[in-house]
Amino acid sequence: MSLLRLRAVLRGPGGLRGPGIPWRIFRSYSSASTKEKANRNVPCERTELLEVLKARAKQLQGSDVPQVTVNKVELDALDNDKYQEAVDPGPKQKQPRTQGDGLAPSSTWAKKLQREMYIQQLKMKQELPSAASQLTLESQAKLDVEGEAKAKAKTTKSPNIPKMKTTTAWNQNSGSPHNKPRVVEVKESAELKRPQKMPKDKSNQQILQQTIQCNLECFLFLQQPEEAERYLLLCQSSPVKRKVLDIGAYNIVMRSWARKGSLNRIERLFSILESTNLRPDLDSYAVALECMGRNQSPPKAILRYLQELNNNGFHVDELFQKCLFEEDEKEMVLSAIRTVQPNYQLPPPPSPKICKSSLLQDFYSRETMVSYPKLDFSVKELQERFQQQLEMELKNTITIESVEAAKPLTPQAVKAVKLGSGGSPQDLWRELLGTLRSQWHGAILQALRNSKRSMARPKRVSKYSVLFPYLCLLPDEEYVDIMLQILNDLSPQGESLAVLARELGSKVYDRYIIQRKLRSCQLEKVQKIYENYIELMAKDSQPKQYLPREYWEKLVAEAGFGPSLNLKSCSWPCVLLMRLGMHLLELMVKAIKVPRNILNHRLESKPIPVLYHVYSFYSNWQVGLIKPHPIYSQMVSNAAETTLTFNSSAMPMLCPPVPWTSPSFGAFVLNDTKLMRFMDDSTHHQLLLDQCPLVNLHPVLDALNQLGNCAWKINQPVLDIIISIFNDKGDEKLDIPPPLSEAPKPPTAPGNSSTSSKSFKQELFLCKKKTAEMHSLRMDALYKLSIANYVRDKVFWFPHNMDFRGRTYPCPPYFNHLGNDVTRAILLFAEGRPLGPKGLDWLKIHLINLTGLKKKNALQERLEYANEIMEDILDSADHPLTGRKWWMDTDEPWQALACCMEIAKASRSPDPAAYISHFPVHQDGSCNGLQHYAALGRDLSGAASVNLMPSGLPQDVYSAVAQQVEEFRKKDAERGLKIAQVLQGFISRKVVKQTVMTVVYGVTRYGGRLQIEKRLKEIDEFPEEYLWEASHYLVKQVFNSIKEMFSATRDIQNWLTESAKLIAQSGRTVEWVTPLGLPIMQPYYRARSTVLNCGMQRLSVKNSNNSQKPDTVKQKNAFPPNFIHSLDSTHMMLTALHCLRKGLTFVSVHDCYWTHALTVDVMNQVCRQQFVALHSEKILQDLSEFMLQKYCSSSTEPVAHWQKRLMEQLSNVPRTGEFNLKQVMDSTYFFS
């Protein structure tokens, strides 16, 4: 069985998009958009890099072919600069001709191309070089030759984005260690013809500014201060770049000189600052003092800078309170200060600030503080686990055993290898594959070094010169490892070129950040602090009344010196990641080859590429794919390798996570993790969090730490049963995906009739679609089960972060408790607790909840039913695969089986109350979104429908809506409405459930109609010709029913929607702050595309950030559901924190709360208390006041018309009903 990875694992089936290509990629990237789209996006600059002209011309000549399959990918050598070869390859480089392929030297476009290149060469010869010049050019001028059927030449504009080049030689392994850096500047012809223009929109300026800082940070990391300063000065001389230069760019260059102790260079930069509108900030003075401390400058010079610091309104203590330091920078600054003030002492750490939220006054009160709960590990054991985690993160990847059993090889695969003595055919294939990978490693390494040598060569312009410093950040072998990992993970169906490029660039960035942490000595400090931190949780240490965040901050303050734990870093823009990834991808396509006759020895032994660049079409978008050659896919399948390789960040942690103490520090030891998950390339959430007072984020940080500190272990008996079925062709009914050997066979080709041909294509498409879906699901299950098997004997942890609404998620993406029924069934709490007097009853009730059989019955009736079927429960536990198999016919079969086994063990123990249980028991909210709406509006009828009011039986809102819709239908039928008569007997709970459930999350009538239509299609008896009319009628009645039953809910939803609409129309994004103090901003903007002219194809990358105009429709429609999601996350966090105070183990899956059977009652009480406390706050009034202050507080006169409308809208807060919130405390079925 092939162990190739399909990216669609995390995204669900590929569907119509093709295997592994998520819908967002099609929205974000394209390989060949229409000419009109290209012409809108490109400015007119007329320089082109010589190597790319060949590949680009060949590609564009074939652009009018409706479906392109490149049978052989030939990439031009990066160091080949003979312009004639771009036009006439000569006999040695002759390419096989296909329709629309090949070069015609006599054609118009070819002549024009030759003339352009000749003029470019003349200009290159006339211009003088200077250092790091190509990095300074803000946009690469391009010549896009648009090939058409008539071979007509056109020059197109390249996108106005910051593309840059470098031709500077850095110290690198491939060059001579004695060679001094040599630099060349090649000015753009466009610069000679006309002055530069400013980027028209802020997004381009933002990308440009970000790119400049990234380039400077590269020079700093590479210890090239000369290049950094030269680049900065060239940026300053550019009218475009000068506008986006900020003090941060100068500080980076000064830091690089400070490390060399070059004070005169720093003084020069200070003098340059005087000629600009920029003023030195605290970091500027910190760098100058560091330099003076490092070279032991005289007191007079130090005093001058300290005096200037004071004159600019700063205090010397602020240097140590607000600046971030790396390595020994802090010590050097202190040394300089003590040169003139020998008795100066570091300012004492600020006293810890206490969160003032009214919801958490008791929680943060020292009077109610209790000792933090201990783990069943000693200090020494936790230190050993930390070392294991650190080793795994330092290696970047981890290889584990696959749980998939090897399948027998086909006769053809056995014949293809020569069997020797000892060793199976699979072993021989693995040996062969290992040999090839070793060869590929060498080939890629050589190609990478050749590429770098070409970029660094004097008097040489390269398409990818801009990338040169980024190719020097890591050892060459690490780049090769990253590329081979991508190859190993590639699906046989291929992957979007844009996805692969982004992933390659991101992997380089992640490893670079780890190298920076190692270089800055941050790791040593984290190790030292963590050794003391685990005393908070170790069983053999003294109890401590601190939260994890508080204790970590205390230890950091006590550590005093050393580097800061937050890096001064600028994330790489998407454009840069894509360019870097594309370059590495081109090296892979060029270097990785396999003998053509490896599967068939009768063929000629000729090396052919393993990877191919092909196009697929989605609507009017032409999407580039990278596909492996079938020979390679067959080899991997024959080898049936028994290992899987993952990034270390994809694995559960082997030690308690590093606590979140700020938006940029927490979770893994080394792997870079953000507190808030961002959409695409946006950074505004990070800026919003950075600007928020840290004390306001304490509740959110503490809640995430509490969720992450829950220790887990594997339910081994259940895991073994699942693996056995997984390797026995799976079982779709039990959610165990079958292998591809069970996929439908492709249909046989029909005759020549057009009808049968069309039918054949449709069948073939569906067959391929089904196969891709099966592969995706199979690989998803394989990853989860293999990771679970790897940690089967270990205790592990899931660090958490959140999305922009505050909803929490485990960081490891594959295996976690947010997974499906299979994943949840194999997870147990590592900590065991006795069942207590009611624990066994809760296990039985939980089991019946999992079956879905008694949803409308009281808890006591569910318990009685469990006792009645005890024989089936015990049979399921004892003979899961050979007995009556009662557990298989439940809603959640695997969790039901795990619960059966736990009940069997507990009931058979001598004293069930004393039985130590590790089993999580769940309590689910009853249509939680509507619960929040009903509480916000104090809606009596709505509250009763969603179990906010005490009741002897659980209320089912879906049945209530179905009943209301049926009453409407009867009235309409009596009036003679045809569709109402047709629907008689077809309105049920199932038909309306999905629409009712999603109405609270903003589903429109259009979306609701599609949901209902889908449900009606599932009813065989329903007449198909009435589907549209019936669904249109029903969605209208469902909305009317909800409006009647939840009148306050609809009023609030309409108020939120209209408010968001007016805010977005004013050009602002919708922002609010949760009751716990978390700032939230909706990240929906009108994205603008930037076209990247890369070597293999053109990519259209969408820039969606806060410099763009907001997307009014998305802002309006998303605000109500996002606001409710922020409230349910607030309720969950409050429950988590107060459960901690009660000593409970607590985790959540959004509105599903988990704890031990012993503590279910306590958790239920806390859950209700916190819901009442949350909704006792003036939530809507506070939201109104916040938005009035933010959007309507402008002092300009007169007030604009839109502002008046917005003020009226925001001030008109919906009225509330008469529901008494305290009734929730006595509602059994609020969470049950």
Side-chain angles (χ1 to χ4, degrees):
M1 166 53 62
S2 165
L3 300 181
L4 295 175
R5 177 170 131 196
L6 183 62
R7 288 274 302 178
V9 171
L10 287 178
R11 307 183 187 114
L16 293 175
R17 302 187 293 275
I21 308 174
W23 168 239
R24 67 177 178 81
I25 294 300
F26 283 95
R27 292 171 52 200
S28 299
Y29 310 107
S30 72
S31 61
S33 56
T34 60
K35 291 180 190 174
E36 290 78 17
K37 186 175 180 67
N39 291 336
R40 284 200 306 269
N41 283 284
V42 288
C44 187
E45 294 177 317
R46 297 176 49 83
T47 310
E48 176 59 335
L49 299 166
L50 304 178
E51 307 81 16
V52 180
L53 283 169
K54 284 191 291 183
R56 184 68 182 139
K58 285 187 289 184
Q59 178 189 350
L60 291 174
Q61 271 230 303
S63 64
D64 57 345
V65 180
Q67 181 157 356
V68 183
T69 301
V70 183
N71 292 323
K72 182 172 182 178
V73 177
E74 293 287 349
L75 289 183
D76 302 304
L78 292 176
D79 58 349
N80 180 8
D81 62 345
K82 296 181 180 179
Y83 78 93
Q84 277 291 349
E85 294 180 5
V87 183
D88 186 7
K92 291 184 179 180
Q93 298 189 6
K94 188 175 182 180
Q95 300 295 319
R97 289 180 177 267
T98 59
Q99 184 181 358
D101 191 16
L103 300 175
S106 60
S107 66
T108 305
W109 72 266
K111 292 177 181 177
K112 188 166 186 177
L113 181 60
Q114 185 174 5
R115 186 168 61 253
E116 289 282 349
M117 290 188 291
Y118 180 69
I119 294 170
Q120 174 63 15
Q121 276 207 337
L122 291 178
K123 289 182 178 178
M124 287 167 57
K125 291 177 181 178
Q126 294 169 1
E127 295 176 5
L128 298 175
S130 78
S133 62
Q134 290 311 97
L135 269 176
T136 70
L137 302 180
E138 73 281 60
S139 59
Q140 292 173 322
K142 302 293 177 195
L143 173 64
D144 283 336
V145 183
E146 296 292 333
E148 298 181 359
K150 295 181 180 180
K152 184 177 179 181
K154 282 189 178 182
T155 55
T156 62
K157 304 176 182 180
S158 51
N160 195 9
I161 58 170
K163 300 180 185 176
M164 294 162 294
K165 300 174 275 186
T166 181
T167 53
T168 309
W170 278 267
N171 295 330
Q172 53 178 315
N173 296 336
S174 58
S176 168
H178 305 294
N179 290 341
K180 293 183 179 180
R182 301 175 64 188
V183 293
V184 177
E185 179 184 9
V186 182
K187 293 186 177 179
E188 294 172 291
S189 59
E191 285 186 341
L192 299 176
K193 294 179 181 178
R194 61 181 179 276
Q196 293 171 304
K197 295 181 180 179
M198 278 298 296
K200 289 184 179 179
D201 59 61
K202 292 182 180 178
S203 65
N204 281 349
Q205 294 184 33
Q206 192 177 52
I207 294 172
L208 179 56
Q209 184 180 56
Q210 198 178 0
T211 306
I212 290 172
Q213 289 214 4
C214 291
N215 291 334
L216 289 172
E217 283 179 354
C218 276
F219 289 120
L220 174 64
F221 183 81
L222 295 168
Q223 300 178 3
Q224 294 288 337
E226 297 90 352
E227 304 300 337
E229 182 176 341
R230 197 174 288 116
Y231 174 52
L232 177 69
L233 295 178
L234 285 166
C235 286
Q236 191 189 32
S237 67
S238 160
V240 176
K241 289 194 175 65
R242 190 185 312 126
K243 296 288 186 182
V244 298
L245 280 181
D246 60 4
I247 188 61
Y250 288 85
N251 289 341
I252 294 172
V253 180
M254 287 193 280
R255 283 177 63 205
S256 64
W257 283 120
R259 292 179 182 179
K260 300 280 188 180
S262 301
L263 183 60
N264 59 331
R265 295 288 194 140
I266 292 177
E267 288 177 339
R268 179 186 171 194
L269 289 167
F270 264 87
S271 65
I272 292 174
L273 277 177
E274 292 179 5
S275 65
T276 68
N277 294 325
L278 300 173
R279 293 180 58 189
D281 62 4
L282 268 176
D283 285 323
S284 310
Y285 294 111
V287 169
L289 291 168
E290 175 211 337
C291 181
M292 290 185 281
R294 201 174 294 283
N295 66 9
Q296 300 178 349
S297 296
K300 185 177 179 181
I302 298 173
L303 279 170
R304 180 163 56 86
Y305 276 95
L306 289 175
Q307 184 63 43
E308 188 177 334
L309 181 146
N310 289 324
N311 293 342
N312 281 337
F314 302 117
H315 190 275
V316 68
D317 285 351
E318 291 181 279
L319 293 169
F320 302 100
Q321 293 168 338
K322 297 181 180 179
C323 294
L324 299 177
F325 298 101
E326 296 183 13
E327 301 181 57
D328 60 347
E329 293 174 355
K330 190 173 187 179
E331 289 82 347
M332 292 298 103
V333 173
L334 184 62
S335 172
I337 294 172
R338 284 179 174 169
T339 301
V340 295
Q341 299 179 26
N343 297 323
Y344 178 81
Q345 295 297 321
L346 286 175
S351 56
K353 294 183 179 179
I354 305 299
C355 177
K356 302 297 183 184
S357 171
S358 58
L359 293 168
L360 291 167
Q361 283 181 349
D362 292 341
F363 178 79
Y364 285 111
S365 169
R366 284 291 158 190
E367 289 74 22
T368 61
M369 190 71 70
V370 296
S371 299
Y372 197 77
K374 299 289 186 180
L375 296 169
D376 191 25
F377 295 104
S378 65
V379 170
K380 184 178 179 182
E381 288 172 327
L382 287 174
Q383 287 175 347
E384 290 172 353
R385 288 172 176 273
F386 173 78
Q387 289 301 322
Q388 293 172 10
Q389 176 67 26
L390 179 58
E391 288 173 11
M392 181 170 70
E393 291 191 40
L394 283 170
K395 291 178 182 175
N396 295 299
T397 60
I398 180 170
T399 300
I400 65 175
E401 289 295 317
S402 167
V403 298
E404 189 167 38
K407 63 179 182 180
L409 290 180
T410 62
Q412 292 84 354
V414 174
K415 288 180 182 178
V417 292
K418 297 178 180 178
L419 294 174
S421 59
S424 65
Q426 282 95 345
D427 291 333
L428 293 170
W429 278 111
R430 289 169 197 159
E431 183 181 343
L432 177 60
L433 202 53
T435 302
L436 285 172
R437 283 174 179 153
S438 178
Q439 294 173 5
W440 296 338
H441 185 282
I444 298 173
L445 183 63
Q446 188 59 48
L448 175 65
R449 288 175 174 168
N450 290 343
S451 168
K452 289 169 66 175
R453 197 176 298 117
S454 170
M455 292 177 182
R457 186 177 299 164
K459 299 183 182 179
R460 172 76 191 134
V461 180
S462 171
K463 165 78 174 179
Y464 299 105
S465 305
V466 60
L467 303 175
F468 181 51
Y470 296 92
L471 295 174
C472 299
L473 298 174
L474 306 175
D476 290 346
E477 286 74 11
E478 286 207 35
Y479 292 99
V480 178
D481 290 343
I482 289 171
M483 288 186 268
L484 286 176
Q485 185 185 348
I486 291 292
L487 174 65
N488 293 339
D489 293 344
L490 191 60
S491 158
Q493 285 82 19
E495 179 60 285
S496 162
L497 183 139
V499 171
L500 290 177
R502 180 71 179 261
E503 188 173 359
L504 278 163
S506 298
K507 284 180 181 294
V508 173
Y509 174 77
D510 291 340
R511 295 203 187 192
Y512 159 67
I513 291 296
I514 289 177
Q515 291 300 317
R516 280 197 58 184
K517 289 180 179 180
L518 296 176
R519 175 86 64 87
S520 70
C521 303
Q522 186 192 99
L523 177 59
E524 288 85 342
K525 188 169 182 177
V526 169
Q527 278 184 288
K528 182 179 178 182
I529 293 172
Y530 195 92
E531 286 177 2
N532 296 319
Y533 165 73
I534 53 179
E535 293 180 3
L536 179 70
M537 290 172 278
K539 64 182 179 182
D540 58 345
S541 59
Q542 292 297 317
K544 293 178 173 58
Q545 293 186 344
Y546 289 97
L547 294 168
R549 172 190 53 79
E550 294 172 338
Y551 195 54
W552 186 276
E553 288 173 344
K554 174 179 178 290
L555 294 171
V556 170
E558 291 173 355
F561 292 107
S564 306
L565 296 183
N566 292 331
L567 284 177
K568 299 176 186 175
S569 64
C570 176
S571 58
W572 294 355
C574 177
V575 170
L576 175 57
L577 292 173
M578 297 293 289
R579 286 197 176 284
L580 179 59
M582 282 291 290
H583 179 59
L584 297 179
L585 208 49
E586 288 184 8
L587 292 180
M588 292 172 64
V589 173
K590 173 184 176 181
I592 303 175
K593 296 182 184 293
V594 66
R596 183 186 174 202
N597 66 341
I598 200 161
L599 293 180
N600 187 346
H601 300 299
R602 291 175 296 178
L603 298 175
E604 178 188 357
S605 177
K606 178 184 177 183
I608 58 174
V610 168
L611 299 177
Y612 288 82
H613 177 214
V614 299
Y615 290 114
S616 182
F617 286 84
Y618 181 81
S619 185
N620 62 335
W621 291 103
Q622 189 178 349
V623 180
L625 299 176
I626 293 294
K627 292 190 73 171
H629 195 285
I631 288 178
Y632 171 75
S633 300
Q634 187 62 50
M635 288 173 58
V636 173
S637 177
N638 293 345
E641 292 178 293
T642 59
T643 59
L644 295 169
T645 300
F646 296 96
N647 287 336
S648 57
S649 58
M651 302 294 288
M653 287 189 70
L654 304 178
C655 65
V658 175
W660 285 106
T661 56
S662 75
S664 54
F665 183 81
F668 292 100
V669 180
L670 276 176
N671 289 317
D672 192 42
T673 311
K674 298 296 184 185
L675 176 68
M676 190 173 277
R677 300 174 177 211
F678 303 144
M679 294 179 65
D680 301 322
D681 199 35
S682 78
T683 57
H684 50 273
H685 287 112
Q686 188 67 36
L687 294 173
L688 197 64
L689 293 173
D690 290 340
Q691 293 164 4
C692 178
L694 193 56
V695 66
N696 292 358
L697 297 177
H698 284 174
V700 172
L701 300 177
D702 292 335
L704 288 170
N705 292 335
Q706 173 60 11
L707 296 172
N709 278 341
C710 176
W712 300 87
K713 70 175 187 177
I714 294 296
N715 189 335
Q716 295 186 16
V718 176
L719 174 63
D720 291 337
I721 295 171
I722 293 172
I723 292 175
S724 68
I725 295 178
F726 179 83
N727 283 321
D728 187 24
K729 297 187 178 181
D731 190 326
E732 290 189 279
K733 181 187 173 185
L734 296 176
D735 205 17
I736 308 294
L740 285 184
S741 58
E742 303 301 306
K745 304 301 178 188
T748 54
N752 295 327
S753 73
S754 59
T755 307
S756 58
S757 177
K758 185 177 180 181
S759 173
F760 166 73
K761 289 180 179 178
Q762 179 68 13
E763 284 185 49
L764 186 62
F765 168 76
L766 293 175
C767 177
K768 288 183 177 180
K769 179 173 179 266
K770 178 67 175 176
T771 302
E773 290 174 354
M774 287 179 64
H775 180 76
S776 172
L777 294 171
R778 180 75 175 180
M779 299 309 292
D780 181 35
L782 176 64
Y783 292 165
K784 289 175 178 175
L785 295 177
S786 297
I787 294 173
N789 195 54
Y790 173 74
V791 295
R792 64 182 297 135
D793 299 313
K794 298 178 173 68
V795 174
F796 51 91
W797 288 260
F798 296 126
H800 281 60
N801 63 0
M802 59 187 174
D803 64 15
F804 73 92
R805 303 164 300 186
R807 282 200 140 189
T808 60
Y809 301 86
C811 296
Y814 301 111
F815 176 66
N816 58 63
H817 62 285
L818 259 68
N820 59 5
D821 174 48
V822 173
T823 312
R824 297 184 189 188
I826 54 183
L827 282 169
L828 296 171
F829 292 136
E831 179 191 7
R833 296 201 178 187
L835 284 178
K838 295 180 64 177
L840 183 56
D841 288 348
W842 273 118
L843 281 175
K844 293 176 180 177
I845 292 171
H846 177 55
L847 172 63
I848 303 306
N849 289 344
L850 291 168
T851 65
L853 297 174
K854 299 289 178 179
K855 292 178 180 178
K856 298 181 182 180
N857 295 73
L859 291 182
Q860 185 60 35
E861 293 174 352
R862 300 179 203 181
L863 178 59
E864 291 170 0
Y865 177 72
N867 289 326
E868 290 172 11
I869 62 168
M870 198 65 185
E871 193 175 331
D872 286 331
I873 294 173
L874 296 178
D875 176 75
S876 296
D878 297 337
H879 311 289
L881 300 181
T882 57
R884 300 175 214 166
K885 304 178 185 178
W886 169 84
W887 63 277
M888 291 187 181
D889 296 319
T890 60
D891 283 359
E892 309 284 353
W894 290 107
Q895 291 177 80
L897 175 61
C899 196
C900 288
M901 292 180 170
E902 189 74 1
I903 291 171
K905 292 176 188 174
S907 60
R908 290 166 177 167
S909 65
D911 180 8
Y915 173 77
I916 302 300
S917 175
H918 297 261
F919 199 84
V921 175
H922 310 170
Q923 296 286 278
D924 277 307
S926 176
C927 202
N928 192 238
L930 280 172
Q931 286 180 327
H932 282 285
Y933 267 126
L936 282 172
R938 304 296 195 271
D939 187 344
L940 267 173
S941 62
S945 299
V946 291
N947 295 299
L948 295 188
M949 296 176 69
S951 174
L953 293 173
Q955 300 300 305
D956 183 15
V957 65
Y958 310 117
S959 297
V961 171
Q963 185 178 348
Q964 183 72 52
V965 171
E966 175 62 16
E967 291 179 11
F968 289 153
R969 187 205 64 78
K970 283 181 180 177
K971 292 179 182 177
D972 290 338
E974 289 171 2
R975 291 201 301 266
L977 186 63
K978 175 69 174 175
I979 193 62
Q981 295 169 350
V982 170
L983 278 165
Q984 182 175 353
F986 291 110
I987 297 175
S988 65
R989 179 184 188 272
K990 184 178 181 181
V991 168
V992 303
K993 179 180 177 180
Q994 188 180 11
T995 306
V996 175
M997 187 187 302
T998 53
V999 111
V1000 65
Y1001 298 124
V1003 72
T1004 61
R1005 294 203 176 197
Y1006 174 78
R1009 192 199 69 76
L1010 293 177
Q1011 293 170 344
I1012 291 173
E1013 182 182 67
K1014 188 175 181 181
R1015 298 285 83 81
L1016 290 175
K1017 277 182 180 178
E1018 294 170 358
I1019 303 174
D1020 295 334
E1021 297 81 13
F1022 189 80
E1024 190 174 343
E1025 63 270 19
Y1026 288 103
L1027 274 176
W1028 191 93
E1029 191 178 357
S1031 58
H1032 187 270
Y1033 171 81
L1034 282 181
V1035 75
K1036 178 183 175 183
Q1037 301 306 338
V1038 167
F1039 274 63
N1040 289 339
S1041 300
I1042 292 174
K1043 187 174 183 179
E1044 188 169 305
M1045 294 172 61
F1046 296 89
S1047 55
T1049 294
R1050 296 302 293 180
D1051 290 343
I1052 293 170
Q1053 197 171 35
N1054 291 336
W1055 180 73
L1056 294 172
T1057 302
E1058 187 62 24
S1059 299
K1061 175 184 174 183
L1062 293 174
I1063 290 169
Q1065 285 177 344
S1066 73
R1068 311 281 293 277
T1069 54
V1070 179
E1071 295 183 38
W1072 69 99
V1073 177
T1074 71
L1076 277 187
L1078 178 68
I1080 294 176
M1081 176 192 293
Q1082 292 197 144
Y1084 310 121
Y1085 301 94
R1086 296 180 189 172
R1088 298 181 65 178
S1089 296
T1090 299
V1091 178
L1092 300 183
N1093 287 307
C1094 301
M1096 281 192 284
Q1097 69 173 57
R1098 187 169 56 197
L1099 292 177
S1100 178
V1101 182
K1102 284 197 173 181
N1103 299 324
S1104 178
N1105 54 52
N1106 54 343
S1107 61
Q1108 307 285 3
K1109 292 182 179 179
D1111 185 319
T1112 304
V1113 174
K1114 285 186 179 179
Q1115 291 282 345
K1116 169 178 72 78
N1117 291 338
F1119 182 38
N1122 285 340
F1123 182 71
I1124 295 300
H1125 278 313
S1126 73
L1127 289 183
D1128 72 42
S1129 75
T1130 299
H1131 176 222
M1132 185 278 295
M1133 290 180 178
L1134 286 169
T1135 304
L1137 293 173
H1138 285 87
C1139 282
L1140 168 62
R1141 281 286 175 263
K1142 299 277 187 181
L1144 274 64
T1145 298
F1146 174 90
V1147 292
S1148 81
V1149 180
H1150 304 316
D1151 61 347
C1152 177
Y1153 298 170
W1154 299 14
T1155 191
H1156 288 93
L1158 172 69
T1159 54
V1160 171
D1161 289 311
V1162 181
M1163 183 185 73
N1164 275 334
Q1165 183 186 24
V1166 172
C1167 167
R1168 286 155 177 77
Q1169 286 172 346
Q1170 296 314 308
F1171 186 86
V1172 171
L1174 171 62
H1175 283 283
S1176 296
E1177 298 284 300
K1178 300 180 298 179
I1179 295 176
L1180 293 180
Q1181 192 62 42
D1182 291 344
L1183 176 65
S1184 170
E1185 291 174 4
F1186 172 83
M1187 288 185 160
L1188 282 168
Q1189 173 67 26
K1190 181 165 188 66
Y1191 301 109
C1192 303
S1193 60
S1194 173
S1195 58
T1196 57
E1197 295 290 344
V1199 178
H1201 176 65
W1202 69 264
Q1203 208 165 15
K1204 287 181 182 178
R1205 285 184 61 199
L1206 182 56
M1207 288 174 69
E1208 291 173 5
Q1209 172 66 23
L1210 293 176
S1211 301
N1212 188 23
V1213 180
R1215 295 180 180 180
T1216 56
E1218 302 299 323
F1219 172 62
N1220 182 1
L1221 264 179
K1222 292 185 178 178
Q1223 289 184 277
V1224 173
M1225 293 300 303
D1226 301 317
S1227 175
T1228 303
Y1229 301 102
F1230 166 64
F1231 266 63
S1232 65

